[in-house]
Amino acid sequence: MMLRLGFAWSTSSNTTKHIAQARLFTGSLLRKDTPYTLYNSRCSGLPQALQFGQKSVLASTGLSWDSFRSSGAVFFSMASGSDGPDTLKSPKHTNRLSKEKSSYLLQHAHNPVDWYPWGQEAFDKAQSEDKPIFLSVGYSTCHWCHVMERESFEDEEIGKILSENFVCIKVDREERPDVDKVYMTFVQATSGGGGWPMSVWLTPDLRPFIGGTYFPPRDSGRRPGLKTVLLRIIEQWQSNRETLKSTGERVLEALRKGTEISASPGETLPSGPDVANRCYQQLAHSYEEEYGGFREAPKFPSPVNLMFLMSFWTVNRTSSEGAEALQMALHTLRMMALGGIHDHVAQGFHRYSTDSSWHVPHFEKMLYDQAQLAVAYITAYQVSGECLFADVARDVLLYVSRDLSDKSGGFYSAEDADSFPTVESTEKREGAFCVWTAGEIRELLPDIVEGAAGGATQADIFMHHYGVKEQGNVAPDQDPHGELQGQNVLIVRYSVELTAAHFSISVDRLSELLSDARAKLAEVRKARPPPHLDTKMLASWNGLMLSGFARVGAVLGDKALLERAERAACFLQEHLWDEEGQRILHSCYRGNNMEVEQVESTVYVNQMNRFNAKEGFIHKSDISCFYHDDSNPCASPIAGFLDDYAFVVSGVLDLFEATQRVRWLQWAEGLQLRQDQLFWDSHGSGYFCSDPSDPTVLLALKQDQDGAEPSANSVSAMNLLRLSHLTGRQDWIQRSQELLTAFSDRLIKVPIALPDMVRSVMAQHYTLKQIVICGQPDAEDTASLISCVNSLFLPHKIPDVQIVVSQPNILMY
């Protein structure tokens, strides 16, 4: 079961009416007199975003999903991004994105499209020329964003149509999550799905009137391409402009009302046990028993689900439901660790699995996955004592330390899925950096293993254990475009005991052989062309990763991991905290000289201004500073969003609990106060995702789903509770309760959408317990008591070390 985002509006009949009108209108806009059918996938291995994308584009054409499925259309061939050997040549085109810092925007800097970054210059051009805006949103490691760039945005004809008839704006969703959330809400509401790349057409005052995700470049049979869609929109803009504008305004108003989340008068906090039990039941219903996880395919790690299940077990240890919850979490984590989604050679986890057995992944690696999975695995170690889970947690942090770490102490965002198979290659392939042929492994591991049955070589043993086959181990239905033909994705097929027995060697000897083989493969991979590395450093994801290092370091008593956590916290203070403005900055970047740089050109709007109520748009006279170019003296870094504050506060609190250094508690307290000032909804409770006074963000949203990342409101609910116990501020307990009450409808009906928030509801019910360890902080017996506490998963605890000279060490719970 996979819940879609942003469906709070669906219960409103008025909203539904306006959305239905928009679907009918956009369908007729694109259909005109010709029935169009779009792509259909008969293959479960395609990326989720693209599968959602079919529904997005489909809804815009007015066709039903069922009739679309039965058409039997097939997908296009995969393509890769343009960064590579060709970029060494002098580019034919250069647009203003070449001055940006975002890797994603720079990937489009040489398209034959007159791209603008999100900012006032683009808005003014649309207003003065009365042109619609084409908004394209994606991120640098998005495979299907690369596809659309190569097929459409590098196409001279399509580039000319876009540049002459639209104001074209490129947005990195990781750089501007506020913009992404608003228009993704529109796409999901009008189509039933969403994904990236996201394509949305706006009026000059930023109101969306049609949207989708991926579009192929041209028609194929009954399938409409981007060129056709563009020409239809141009025609309608010229002949039916007022209808477009009014439709966009009606849909936006419906979304504004339908996405509102607030506490009703007299509403109380929902029952913790009831909400938790319902969440457990919904997860159990969607659980896939053979390989774990919560859907057939594609299958995502979903660490928020796993953390909830382990928390649920702690308060239901003696019940069958509690035992089942723990089994679901641990089995899923084991299967993931053994699967191809886990990089057995270079560590870390890929984004998701295209099949139900965690075998063939989508190969990109995201920082937020590593952060949350490190915590999930170390938690599994706490509750089970199985060394496998601790080893995997260390494995994840090793990957992040080696491949995603900046010398400043910050963490990079992601590694791409695509890379060049060889240095001579001119076209990238997904997974090329990670996969192996049987011939490569036999050549690399030729030595006969002394004492092994049948004169087996190291290659024989390795291939047996990791499921390597001569013809490749990727099924054709998991490789619809032939990119992995003859290749092998490593997956553990047998336990070490079974493999050792099969070859008549000891388990210890087998472990040595496998470790040696992995090291040899890792050296070979170093010589391959690496995938693109997005060196953008985000406050939010760095906050998540800070938690990972702090919590794993505390549980394992590893001083090196705790020191790395402190370096990350110092990085956040030095590079992503504006002391003068008392605000978090959203992002910074690794510059050409390997130094940390800030974005130099972005909109900075006077936060006290709003849209002109009559004209519906801001004017130059209404803003204190707007984008021109890199020389703009008013240019300002991107201010932090709610995610940035919530995730950093959580990470800093985890660091305080791990080190007991008061400076981190003090900073967390200050950050929480600033978050309250910037984002708290004083009327309806809960936090807005972005500054609600920003006039360029049309919807004041509150994220109501824990997805790939937890909702910032979910994290904030627990942050407030923890801080209230640590600082004695009772108002923060009340604020946490008010926040949870605002989401009570969602929590009661579909708690599976907010498993991380359910944990906060449980913490309110069971109350946090303060564990006081009295003694000298540096004493051996104090450290022993702290280690004892850290070895246990106690989700409702607050540890506190107090210096007491006159009495022996004691632990009070």
Side-chain angles (χ1 to χ4, degrees):
M1 180 177 179
M2 190 73 175
L3 293 175
R4 298 194 186 103
L5 302 175
F7 274 77
W9 50 266
S10 63
T11 57
S12 166
S13 59
N14 190 47
T15 302
T16 304
K17 179 181 71 174
H18 290 306
I19 300 302
Q21 291 172 348
R23 290 186 181 185
L24 288 172
F25 177 79
T26 55
S28 62
L29 186 156
L30 291 181
R31 265 199 324 276
K32 199 180 178 183
D33 299 321
T34 306
Y36 283 93
T37 310
L38 301 180
Y39 292 103
N40 176 31
S41 168
R42 295 187 181 278
C43 157
S44 63
L46 288 166
Q48 180 194 29
L50 189 57
Q51 292 183 1
F52 282 172
Q54 307 320 306
K55 296 184 182 181
S56 299
V57 183
L58 181 69
S60 298
T61 64
L63 297 171
S64 73
W65 180 242
D66 289 338
S67 63
F68 169 73
R69 272 188 177 279
S70 64
S71 67
V74 293
F75 271 102
F76 41 87
S77 25
M78 287 186 178
S80 59
S82 60
D83 54 320
D86 290 343
T87 60
L88 298 177
K89 303 175 183 177
S90 179
K92 182 178 179 181
H93 303 279
T94 299
N95 55 55
R96 56 184 55 74
L97 297 186
S98 63
K99 298 180 180 180
E100 295 299 305
K101 300 293 184 187
S102 158
S103 295
Y104 177 64
L105 299 189
L106 289 171
Q107 287 171 355
H108 295 263
H110 301 296
N111 296 161
V113 178
D114 189 18
W115 289 117
Y116 286 76
W118 180 265
Q120 196 62 37
E121 184 182 16
F123 307 157
D124 287 345
K125 179 179 175 66
Q127 285 279 306
S128 63
E129 298 181 11
D130 196 24
K131 286 183 177 178
I133 293 171
F134 171 60
L135 175 66
S136 177
V137 183
Y139 56 101
S140 72
T141 60
C142 166
H143 176 78
W144 293 101
C145 299
H146 300 333
V147 173
M148 192 164 179
E149 182 201 9
R150 177 174 175 174
E151 292 181 339
S152 294
F153 301 144
E154 292 184 352
D155 183 283
E156 296 281 350
E157 182 183 17
I158 290 177
K160 183 177 181 181
I161 295 172
L162 281 167
S163 300
E164 291 181 354
N165 298 280
F166 301 88
V167 175
C168 303
I169 299 179
K170 255 297 169 193
V171 168
D172 181 341
R173 68 173 295 262
E174 295 167 358
E175 193 175 67
R176 291 303 303 259
D178 54 337
V179 175
D180 176 65
K181 283 185 175 77
V182 167
Y183 295 106
M184 185 58 73
T185 299
F186 167 79
V187 169
Q188 289 172 329
T190 54
S191 70
W196 299 275
M198 176 171 62
S199 307
V200 190
W201 285 265
L202 321 176
T203 62
D205 58 357
L206 307 183
R207 270 65 174 166
F209 59 86
I210 189 171
T213 55
Y214 167 84
F215 287 86
R218 287 175 175 78
D219 301 350
S220 176
R222 299 174 62 212
R223 301 171 301 194
L226 181 61
K227 178 183 175 182
T228 295
V229 173
L230 293 173
L231 295 176
R232 292 285 166 79
I233 291 174
I234 292 168
E235 176 188 335
Q236 289 295 316
W237 185 256
Q238 294 170 349
S239 63
N240 205 13
R241 186 172 313 183
E242 292 308 312
T243 302
L244 285 178
K245 289 183 176 181
S246 63
T247 299
E249 185 58 45
R250 287 199 306 272
V251 172
L252 191 66
E253 183 59 29
L255 290 175
R256 190 175 286 118
K257 294 177 180 177
T259 56
E260 182 179 2
I261 295 174
S262 61
S264 302
E267 196 169 13
T268 58
L269 190 67
S271 164
D274 290 348
V275 168
N277 285 328
R278 185 167 179 80
C279 187
Y280 160 74
Q281 294 293 341
Q282 291 178 345
L283 282 171
H285 181 72
S286 65
Y287 179 67
E288 195 274 294
E289 292 187 358
E290 185 174 6
Y291 295 103
F294 300 95
R295 62 179 297 166
E296 290 297 327
K299 194 175 273 189
F300 291 79
S302 304
V304 290
N305 292 345
L306 304 174
M307 291 302 295
F308 163 76
L309 289 170
M310 289 185 282
S311 297
F312 182 82
W313 167 78
T314 64
V315 296
N316 295 277
R317 297 181 189 223
T318 60
S319 70
S320 59
E321 290 83 2
E324 178 65 18
L326 183 61
Q327 188 275 334
M328 288 161 59
L330 297 184
H331 182 60
T332 298
L333 288 166
R334 285 192 199 97
M335 291 298 100
M336 286 171 50
L338 301 177
I341 191 174
H342 183 201
D343 188 339
H344 296 282
V345 171
Q347 299 82 44
F349 282 85
H350 300 294
R351 178 75 273 268
Y352 63 84
S353 174
T354 63
D355 57 80
S356 64
S357 61
W358 304 106
H359 180 203
V360 182
H362 175 49
F363 287 89
E364 69 181 308
K365 291 181 178 178
M366 307 300 297
L367 181 65
Y368 58 76
D369 283 324
Q370 316 309 319
Q372 295 176 88
L373 286 170
V375 173
Y377 274 99
I378 203 62
T379 302
Y381 171 66
Q382 287 177 300
V383 301
S384 71
E386 291 185 35
C387 291
L388 166 69
F389 297 126
D391 290 343
V392 175
R394 283 188 183 277
D395 175 275
V396 170
L397 299 187
L398 172 61
Y399 161 70
V400 172
S401 297
R402 185 190 62 236
D403 293 347
L404 296 182
S405 286
D406 187 78
K407 66 179 182 179
S408 65
F411 302 107
Y412 302 140
S413 295
E415 277 192 316
D416 206 343
D418 301 352
S419 62
F420 295 103
T422 68
V423 292
E424 294 83 16
S425 301
T426 58
E427 183 173 314
K428 291 183 178 182
R429 290 189 176 186
E430 180 167 6
F433 188 66
C434 302
V435 295
W436 304 88
T437 65
E440 286 176 313
I441 292 175
R442 291 199 179 282
E443 182 178 353
L444 189 61
L445 307 172
D447 296 341
I448 295 174
V449 176
E450 185 177 353
T457 64
Q458 188 178 16
D460 293 327
I461 295 172
F462 185 88
M463 292 168 65
H464 176 84
H465 190 72
Y466 286 106
V468 175
K469 298 179 180 179
E470 297 294 340
Q471 71 276 20
N473 68 2
V474 179
D477 61 349
Q478 296 303 317
D479 182 30
H481 314 296
E483 291 190 309
L484 300 175
Q485 187 173 0
Q487 300 287 342
N488 289 272
V489 177
L490 302 185
I491 179 172
V492 177
R493 289 301 189 190
Y494 304 97
S495 68
V496 288
E497 291 80 9
L498 284 175
T499 299
H502 182 78
F503 290 99
S504 301
I505 57 177
S506 70
V507 170
D508 288 344
R509 178 64 175 139
L510 173 67
S511 297
E512 291 174 4
L513 288 167
L514 294 178
S515 178
D516 176 72
R518 291 193 300 268
K520 290 177 180 176
L521 267 63
E523 287 301 313
V524 171
R525 267 177 54 164
K526 288 180 182 178
R528 294 177 175 177
H532 163 72
L533 176 66
D534 188 336
T535 57
K536 176 171 65 264
M537 291 171 273
L538 302 175
S540 55
W541 296 359
N542 272 256
L544 291 173
M545 200 67 246
L546 168 57
S547 287
F549 275 92
R551 294 179 69 169
V552 176
V555 173
L556 299 180
D558 190 318
K559 291 183 179 180
L561 296 180
L562 293 177
E563 288 171 2
R564 183 65 185 89
E566 291 215 87
R567 283 188 61 215
C570 291
F571 160 81
L572 286 163
Q573 278 193 321
E574 181 179 354
H575 295 288
L576 289 172
W577 172 246
D578 175 7
E579 182 65 32
E580 182 179 354
Q582 289 292 292
R583 61 174 183 165
I584 287 180
L585 304 178
H586 176 60
S587 57
C588 60
Y589 308 80
R590 188 183 74 183
N592 293 331
N593 297 320
M594 306 300 285
E595 300 296 330
V596 176
E597 295 180 356
Q598 267 293 349
V599 64
E600 296 176 352
S601 52
T602 186
V603 179
Y604 184 67
V605 182
N606 183 334
Q607 298 299 300
M608 297 304 294
N609 291 309
R610 302 290 194 277
F611 274 85
N612 181 296
K614 293 183 180 179
E615 299 181 10
F617 196 73
I618 54 175
H619 296 273
K620 288 185 180 179
S621 60
D622 296 324
I623 61 176
S624 59
C625 183
F626 51 92
Y627 173 90
H628 278 305
D629 54 39
D630 285 346
S631 64
N632 177 13
C634 292
S636 172
I638 300 171
F641 304 103
L642 176 62
D643 287 5
D644 298 306
Y645 285 83
F647 296 173
V648 171
V649 168
S650 180
V652 173
L653 284 176
D654 286 335
L655 182 59
F656 165 70
E657 290 191 6
T659 64
Q660 290 296 307
R661 292 190 175 137
V662 177
R663 63 175 288 198
W664 301 123
L665 175 59
Q666 292 172 336
W667 194 38
E669 185 177 5
L671 291 175
Q672 186 62 56
L673 288 169
R674 192 67 175 125
Q675 175 184 320
D676 291 349
Q677 294 170 358
L678 290 172
F679 304 108
W680 181 254
D681 179 3
S682 58
H683 299 292
S685 299
Y687 293 100
F688 293 112
C689 293
S690 58
D691 189 336
S693 63
D694 186 343
T696 66
V697 180
L698 304 186
L699 296 175
L701 297 172
K702 299 173 187 174
Q703 187 68 37
D704 64 347
Q705 176 162 347
D706 296 323
E709 306 161 54
S711 159
N713 271 286
S714 298
V715 175
S716 294
M718 187 62 81
N719 288 347
L720 290 166
L721 198 55
R722 296 169 74 185
L723 279 166
S724 69
H725 283 265
L726 289 167
T727 65
R729 290 189 54 143
Q730 295 302 305
D731 58 318
W732 272 338
I733 290 182
Q734 182 179 350
R735 176 151 292 186
S736 179
Q737 292 172 347
E738 291 171 353
L739 185 161
L740 295 171
T741 302
F743 287 83
S744 60
D745 184 66
R746 190 82 156 153
L747 287 166
I748 292 170
K749 294 178 180 177
V750 279
I752 192 176
L754 288 164
D756 207 55
M757 190 174 287
V758 174
R759 295 175 64 209
S760 296
V761 177
M762 293 167 64
Q764 290 279 356
H765 176 82
Y766 294 104
T767 70
L768 296 186
K769 307 296 191 302
Q770 189 168 19
I771 299 174
V772 180
I773 299 172
C774 299
Q776 293 290 350
D778 297 330
E780 184 177 338
D781 47 2
T782 302
S784 179
L785 287 174
I786 292 173
S787 177
C788 177
V789 171
N790 287 337
S791 69
L792 304 173
F793 178 49
L794 304 170
H796 307 133
K797 76 167 189 324
I798 294 288
D800 182 22
V801 175
Q802 298 182 6
I803 300 175
V804 179
V805 179
S806 59
Q807 65 184 50
N809 291 76
I810 60 172
L811 183 151
M812 296 183 293
Y813 181 73

